């Protein structure tokens, strides 16, 4: 069905595809993998006819191609209408059947409608929308009621419903929760036409495809099976290539030694010449060398927190006291717990993470923390909070005030952004590089509890494996929210289910959870809650932005007070060091008296500065609470 021959494509001086070839049969389900930036999305655009060919051919025959629209559907059309409209042939046939008067033609139209199973269209559309987390009530609502992420689910549902001959999906799980991802895995595994999917989700690539196409060094290589089989086969090929390379090097050295030894001897001249010809024909074996993946650095806790590090007793949490998102929370976290949060988007997983990280206060109940508890919190939404003008070095320097440049650079280097990347402004970093920086900042200095909300969205598969290794080496507690099944299965050892307005322990694994969610209808309140909280979140962000503007002068004064306090504390520390030395009194008793007076004066200024800081901080808290 799809035939690519000797395809070459360049972007500027960079060759993305160099005489690449690929052949796919009907009903092929293929995962397209490769490092970020190698040209996977470009290849999709070439297949779809959106980019001109430099050389080579792409043959599709009469194949109907389907892609997720880049623009999320909006407007007043209902979700159901948007999805049904994706099947253009069905819509045209229904319109024609209503206006046609010729009985023979009407019969033909209805025969074709039956052939494409048009009469079950609404049921199929409803099933797809429900699988992606949009219940019956939501399906009747206009798209404008939903946030951008949920509208992208509608766009995905539309292309799945249209059943193209070749389905092109580029990171389809980015806007899905774990429940939607598990449903999509099953749908794609049963899809009756051809699929090419770009994904860094190892779970999807192991369950939904039957072949892997690897884009590497501008060429396409096909492997049978899912990602785990591809990974094993590639490693075996790497090992074989390495052995062949070493064997060939030994052979080359032997031939060169013979030629060098006997080139001048008449009796061996002919044999030396034959060895030279053999050397010329000895084509070097190219080793398969992976690009280097920098490890993640997650420092272990510096201080051990007394267990339990967190304990919740009848806690309620939410954005408005009258409408708690979660209630009756009875939870404890030990110092080495590894917890995965399950539950549909909108049920409150991120709200729980914000509560436990200290970014939200409980509305009621008791939340007890160990006195030495230090929490690190990462969420994908923080990508926009990085100062785009400042580099990784600048961000780390803020956490190490007064430290030398060499030490700051050494610590910045542990974030996985070496060399020039360390000095690159955050605004110029890729999504994966920003995620590395944020994760490093969240765990900086060693934390007891690391809370990660969708940490892998911008990471490729190899970087995800590096993150898994770092999390498994970390000795503190972790809590993870993720749609990445492989990440959850390899890093956590127990699950909490966030559903029905509370949190309960889930006795089972991901397979048990998958069976449970596929067996039951979607939570009818989930989408309504998401829509309500989306509106609430927008208002909250607007209010927060206004408060930040109004309180900017106050926060500036607080920074000045903090700088003054730090300076006075350092001055007192230096004076104390001199006063504590008995030798000082023997050599300069009068100066010691003056220093004692200077200390008393500095202490007085310090107390005044602390009073000013405390008053400003209380005023800022009142302004933020209003």
């Amino acid at each position: 069905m799809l035939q690519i021959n000797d395809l070459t494509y360049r972007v500027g001086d960079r060759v993305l595809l160099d005489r690449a070839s690929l052949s796919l049969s009907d009903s092929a389900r293929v995962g397209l993998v490769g490092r970020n930036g190698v040209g996977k999305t470009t290849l999709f655009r070439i297949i779809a006819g959106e980019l001109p060919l430099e050389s080579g051919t792409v043959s599709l025959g009469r194949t109907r191609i389907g892609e997720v629209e880049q623009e999320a559907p909006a407007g007043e059309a209902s979700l159901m209408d948007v999805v049904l409209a994706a099947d253009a042939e069905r819509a045209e046939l229904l319109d024609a059947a209503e206006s046609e008067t010729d009985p023979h033609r009407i019969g033909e139209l209805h025969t074709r409608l039956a052939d494409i199973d048009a009469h079950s269209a609404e049921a199929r559309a409803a099933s797809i929308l429900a699988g992606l987390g949009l219940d019956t009530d939501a399906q009747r609502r206009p798209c404008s009621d939903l946030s951008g992420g949920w509208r992208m689910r509608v766009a995905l549902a539309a292309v799945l419903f249209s059943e193209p001959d070749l389905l092109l999906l580029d990171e389809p799980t980015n806007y899905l929760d774990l429940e939607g991802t598990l449903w999509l895995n099953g749908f794609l595994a049963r899809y009756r036409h051809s699929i090419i999917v770009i994904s860094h989700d190892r779970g999807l690539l192991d369950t939904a495809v039957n072949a892997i196409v690897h884009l590497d060094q501008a060429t396409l290589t096909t492997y049978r099976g899912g990602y785990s089989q591809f990974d094993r086969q590639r490693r075996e090929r790497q090992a074989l290539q390495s052995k062949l390379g070493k064997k060939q090097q030994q052979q080359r050295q032997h031939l060169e030694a013979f030629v060098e030894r006997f080139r001048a001897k008449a009796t061996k001249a002919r044999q030396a010449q034959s060895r030279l010809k053999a050397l010329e024909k000895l084509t070097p074996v190219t080793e398969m060398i992976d690009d280097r993946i920098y490890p993640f650095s997650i420092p272990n806790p510096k201080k051990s927190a007394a267990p339990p590090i967190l304990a919740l007793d009848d806690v309620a949490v939410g954005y408005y006291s009258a409408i708690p998102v979660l209630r009756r929370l009875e939870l404890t976290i030990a110092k080495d717990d590894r917890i995965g949060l399950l539950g549909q988007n909108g049920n409150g997983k991120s709200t729980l993470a914000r509560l436990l990280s200290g970014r939200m206060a409980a509305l009621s109940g008791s939340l007890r923390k160990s006195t030495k508890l230090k929490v690190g919190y990462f969420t994908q939404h923080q990508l926009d909070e990085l100062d785009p003008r400042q580099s990784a070095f600048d961000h780390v320097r803020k956490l190490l005030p007064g430290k030398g440049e060499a030490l700051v650079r050494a610590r910045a280097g542990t974030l996985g952004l070496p060399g020039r990347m360390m000095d690159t402004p955050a605004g110029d970093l890729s999504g994966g590089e920003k995620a590395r920086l944020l994760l490093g900042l969240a765990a900086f200095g060693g934390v007891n509890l690391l809370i990660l909300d969708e940490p892998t969205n911008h990471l490729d598969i190899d970087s995800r494996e590096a993150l898994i290794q770092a999390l498994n080496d970390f000795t503190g507690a972790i809590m993870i929210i993720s749609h990445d099944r492989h990440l959850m299965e390899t890093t956590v050892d127990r699950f909490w289910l966030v559903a029905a307005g509370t949190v309960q322990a889930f006795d089972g694994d991901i397979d048990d959870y998958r069976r449970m969610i596929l067996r039951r209808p979607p939570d009818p309140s989930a989408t309504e809650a998401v829509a309500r909280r989306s509106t609430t979140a927008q208002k909250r962000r607007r209010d927060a932005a206004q408060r930040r503007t109004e309180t900017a002068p106050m926060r500036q004064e607080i920074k000045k007070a903090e700088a003054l306090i730090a300076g006075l504390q350092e001055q007192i520390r230096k004076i104390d060091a001199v006063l504590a030395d008995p030798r000082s009194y023997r050599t300069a008793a009068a100066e010691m008296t003056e220093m004692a007076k200077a200390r008393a004066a500095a202490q007085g200024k310090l107390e005044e500065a602390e009073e000013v800081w405390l008053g400003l901080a209380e005023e800022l808290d009142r302004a933020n609470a209003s």
Side-chain angles (χ1 to χ4, degrees):
M1 179 185 67
L2 171 64
Q3 190 73 40
I4 298 175
N5 292 311
D6 294 329
L7 178 64
T8 296
Y9 191 85
R10 291 179 175 84
V11 175
D13 295 333
R14 186 179 172 206
V15 180
L16 295 182
L17 295 160
D18 185 15
R19 297 189 302 277
S21 297
L22 176 66
S23 179
L24 296 184
S25 61
D26 292 342
S27 303
R29 298 195 308 277
V30 174
L32 178 59
V33 302
R35 292 284 165 76
N36 287 340
V38 296
K40 301 186 296 295
T41 300
T42 299
L43 179 59
F44 263 25
R45 295 185 64 193
I46 291 172
I47 293 172
E50 298 169 8
L51 293 175
L53 301 182
E54 180 179 324
S55 65
T57 61
V58 176
S59 175
L60 287 161
R62 300 181 63 182
T63 300
R64 189 167 53 96
I65 297 176
E67 297 179 276
V68 177
E69 296 292 336
Q70 295 301 308
E71 292 293 327
E76 297 306 308
S78 72
L79 276 57
M80 176 62 74
D81 289 341
V82 168
V83 173
L84 290 174
D87 189 342
E89 183 184 9
R90 173 184 172 276
E92 291 172 1
L93 290 171
L94 287 174
D95 287 344
E98 287 187 6
S99 59
E100 184 61 59
T101 57
D102 180 6
H104 180 69
R105 177 58 181 157
I106 291 173
E108 290 179 343
L109 291 172
H110 282 283
T111 298
R112 180 56 185 163
L113 284 167
D115 289 342
I116 64 173
D117 201 16
H119 301 295
S120 67
E122 288 199 22
R124 288 188 288 110
S127 174
I128 292 171
L129 284 166
L132 295 175
L134 295 154
D135 59 45
T136 304
D137 290 338
Q139 293 167 18
R140 294 192 289 266
R141 290 183 174 179
C143 284
S144 56
D145 277 6
L146 300 180
S147 65
W150 284 86
R151 291 204 302 270
M152 288 307 298
R153 295 192 188 206
V154 179
L156 175 59
V159 73
L160 296 180
F161 171 76
S162 67
E163 290 194 8
D165 302 317
L166 176 59
L167 178 61
L168 302 179
L169 297 177
D170 193 345
E171 296 291 356
T173 63
N174 269 5
Y175 296 99
L176 301 182
D177 50 16
L178 178 62
E179 292 72 21
T181 299
L182 292 173
W183 177 87
L184 181 65
N185 287 357
F187 183 92
L188 296 181
R190 298 187 303 272
Y191 193 69
R192 58 183 179 176
H193 304 300
S194 294
I195 304 166
I196 306 178
V197 56
I198 299 171
S199 180
H200 296 311
D201 188 324
R202 185 164 180 162
L204 183 148
L205 294 175
D206 268 336
T207 59
V209 306
N210 52 28
I212 296 291
V213 172
H214 188 209
L215 176 51
D216 182 51
Q217 299 180 28
T219 62
L220 297 169
T221 307
T222 303
Y223 297 80
R224 289 185 179 180
Y227 187 86
S228 293
Q229 292 166 282
F230 152 74
D231 192 40
R232 176 180 52 78
Q233 292 175 58
R234 179 167 168 75
R235 291 183 189 282
E236 289 173 352
R237 285 184 61 182
Q238 285 176 322
L240 180 60
Q241 294 282 73
S242 179
K243 289 179 181 178
L244 287 174
K246 290 177 181 177
K247 184 176 181 180
Q248 187 187 79
Q249 183 62 24
Q250 292 172 353
Q251 184 180 1
R252 180 179 294 277
Q253 290 172 351
H254 178 75
L255 291 172
E256 288 173 344
F258 184 93
V259 171
E260 187 65 26
R261 184 179 178 186
F262 296 113
R263 188 195 299 267
K265 289 192 176 184
T267 56
K268 297 288 187 179
R270 183 175 296 177
Q271 294 180 33
Q273 288 298 318
S274 69
R275 299 305 196 276
L276 280 173
K277 292 178 181 178
L279 272 171
E280 291 172 1
K281 294 178 180 179
L282 201 59
T283 305
V285 173
T286 302
E287 284 199 58
M288 299 169 62
I289 302 174
D290 284 329
D291 295 333
R292 182 180 178 186
I293 291 293
Y294 291 98
F296 284 86
S297 176
I298 304 179
N300 287 322
K302 285 189 175 180
K303 297 181 179 179
S304 180
I309 59 175
L310 270 171
L312 284 68
D313 182 13
D314 196 24
V315 167
V317 61
Y319 302 98
Y320 295 99
S321 57
I323 315 174
V325 177
L326 298 170
R327 57 180 69 83
R328 300 188 303 277
L329 299 182
E330 302 280 350
L331 306 168
T332 59
I333 301 178
K335 64 180 181 180
D336 58 353
D337 264 341
R338 314 184 78 76
I339 301 165
L341 294 187
L342 304 174
Q344 291 179 299
N345 276 2
N347 280 2
K349 298 191 299 294
S350 293
T351 300
L352 177 63
R354 288 173 61 80
L355 170 70
L356 299 179
S357 67
R359 283 158 177 78
M360 286 185 69
L363 297 175
S364 62
S366 169
L367 190 154
R368 301 187 304 279
K369 298 182 179 181
S370 174
T371 54
K372 295 182 180 179
L373 176 64
K374 185 177 179 183
V375 181
Y377 176 59
F378 171 96
T379 173
Q380 57 181 326
H381 305 300
Q382 291 173 319
L383 293 177
D384 299 326
E385 296 177 11
L386 289 170
D387 188 332
R389 298 163 298 181
Q390 294 196 331
S391 64
F393 173 80
D394 295 327
H395 283 89
V396 172
R397 184 165 53 185
K398 292 179 184 177
L399 301 176
L400 296 171
K403 301 298 183 183
E405 180 174 345
L407 175 61
V408 176
R409 287 198 173 277
R411 293 296 299 276
T414 65
L415 304 184
L417 297 170
R420 287 179 296 178
M421 281 195 293
M422 188 188 303
D423 296 309
T424 301
D428 295 333
L429 295 175
S430 69
E433 290 161 352
K434 289 179 183 177
R436 279 182 174 272
L437 173 56
L438 275 172
L439 183 60
L441 296 176
F444 199 85
V447 299
N448 306 97
L449 171 61
L450 185 59
I451 300 174
L452 304 178
D453 190 346
E454 295 293 356
T456 62
N457 271 8
H458 299 278
L459 302 180
D460 59 29
I461 293 181
D462 292 329
S463 294
R464 293 183 186 202
E465 291 297 326
L467 175 59
I468 288 170
Q469 181 176 339
L471 289 173
N472 286 333
D473 290 340
F474 178 59
T475 60
I478 60 172
M479 176 177 288
I480 299 178
I481 303 168
S482 180
H483 66 260
D484 188 324
R485 173 176 179 167
H486 180 64
L487 173 74
M488 296 279 267
E489 288 180 328
T490 52
T491 57
V492 307
D493 51 28
R494 66 185 181 114
F495 294 99
W496 287 353
L497 177 60
V498 184
T502 191
V503 181
Q504 303 284 345
F506 180 76
D507 186 17
D509 58 16
I510 295 290
D511 285 326
D512 296 321
Y513 183 60
R514 177 180 177 276
R515 285 189 288 268
M516 185 187 82
I517 62 173
L518 295 181
R519 202 166 49 232
R520 72 182 183 199
D523 182 353
S525 63
T527 307
E528 182 179 354
V530 168
R532 183 174 66 247
R533 281 198 286 277
S534 176
T535 303
T536 302
Q538 290 173 7
K539 181 178 183 301
R540 194 167 61 251
R541 286 193 292 270
R542 287 196 300 269
D543 292 345
Q546 183 177 350
R547 282 196 298 272
R548 283 196 298 272
T549 301
E550 293 171 350
T551 60
M554 196 184 310
R555 285 186 280 109
Q556 192 63 33
E557 290 300 317
I558 288 175
K559 286 184 178 179
K560 290 180 182 178
E562 289 172 343
L564 177 59
I565 289 170
L568 288 168
Q569 287 173 335
E570 179 64 14
Q571 181 182 342
I572 291 171
R573 186 190 66 78
K574 290 180 179 178
I575 293 174
D576 285 344
V578 176
L579 293 176
D581 187 355
R583 292 172 297 179
S584 301
Y585 294 89
R586 292 195 294 268
T587 58
E591 292 179 12
M592 293 302 99
T593 302
E594 292 301 318
M595 291 195 75
K597 291 179 181 179
R599 189 197 186 286
Q603 183 64 39
K605 291 179 182 179
L606 176 61
E607 290 172 357
E608 290 175 4
E610 287 175 341
E611 285 293 326
V612 171
W613 177 86
L614 184 60
L616 289 168
E618 289 176 349
E619 189 177 347
L620 181 61
D621 286 342
R622 286 194 296 271
N624 287 332
S626 62

